[in-house]
Amino acid sequence: LMREMYADTLITGDAKPSGASVIAIGGYGRRELAPFSDVDVLFLVKSRRSQKETQQIQSMLCLLWDMGFQVGHSVRTVKEALQMGNEDLVSLNSMLDARLLAGSQEHYDAFEQKLSLAVKRNRKSIVDKMLRSMEERHLSQGGTAFIQEPDIKEAKGGLRDFHFAGWIAKAFYPGQKIEQVLQQHQVTATEWARARQSYEFLQRLRNELHFCSNRKI
């Protein structure tokens, strides 16, 4: 749907491909959208001087809103995206899950390369921030996995802990799959299979809660 919309709004008529990239981030980038989750999209532009490009992005967003999607979007240059990642851990984490949907592959590759270099330069600091953030979140959720009504996304042992493990792996082992990283740390295939099974159970449970409540949770 996003690619069809991009084709209709950014490359139709006399409009030429702008060099912008439409990028899925966060859960959308991981291909793990729950039924009522926000659709998080980064429009990566080369500059902010193009009025036509701005109008095209607005047209695309209006179509998404008209279809009832909750859209979390941002429009940034590569420099602005990297600066935001440096200032805000949530934004950085969402960009670590980035996936190109449509637009310029070359521009997206340049963004990924610069993001990887920025993470590599500040790896220790970033991981320290991640671990502190995880500890604070655990404390806010009772500090234990053994509570009667856990938040299946944010509580200790919940979905977000799996996400943090993935982000830390991407920071320390860029370009490697999580299975490759775990093998280097004596995590067996059986242990990883059990972890994946638990993660998928939590995802399915969250999906059902979305359907039951008719809203995101």
Side-chain angles (χ1 to χ4, degrees), residues 29-44:
R30 293 192 302 274
R31 294 184 170 89
E32 292 180 354
L33 277 183
F36 289 91
S37 290
D38 291 351
V39 178
D40 293 325
V41 182
L42 167 62
F43 294 94
L44 196 69

Side-chain angles (χ1 to χ4, degrees), residues 109-148:
D109 289 343
F111 160 71
E112 275 225 312
Q113 183 180 24
K114 291 181 180 180
L115 178 64
S116 179
L117 288 173
V119 170
K120 185 177 180 179
R121 282 197 302 266
N122 302 287
R123 188 160 49 198
K124 179 69 166 57
S125 172
I126 289 170
V127 172
D128 285 346
K129 288 180 183 178
M130 287 183 181
L131 293 176
R132 282 199 304 272
S133 173
M134 191 159 55
E135 183 178 359
E136 291 169 1
R137 176 170 49 79
H138 288 167
L139 289 174
S140 73
Q141 295 292 328
T144 176
F146 302 102
I147 54 179
Q148 288 185 333

Side-chain angles (χ1 to χ4, degrees), residues 13 50 56 73 90-91 104 119 140 150 154 156 161 184 187 203:
S50 172
Q56 292 167 332
H73 76 281
V90 174
S91 296
S104 172
V119 170
S140 73
E154 303 291 348
K156 191 170 186 176
D161 281 356
Q184 298 173 52
V187 177
Q203 285 181 304

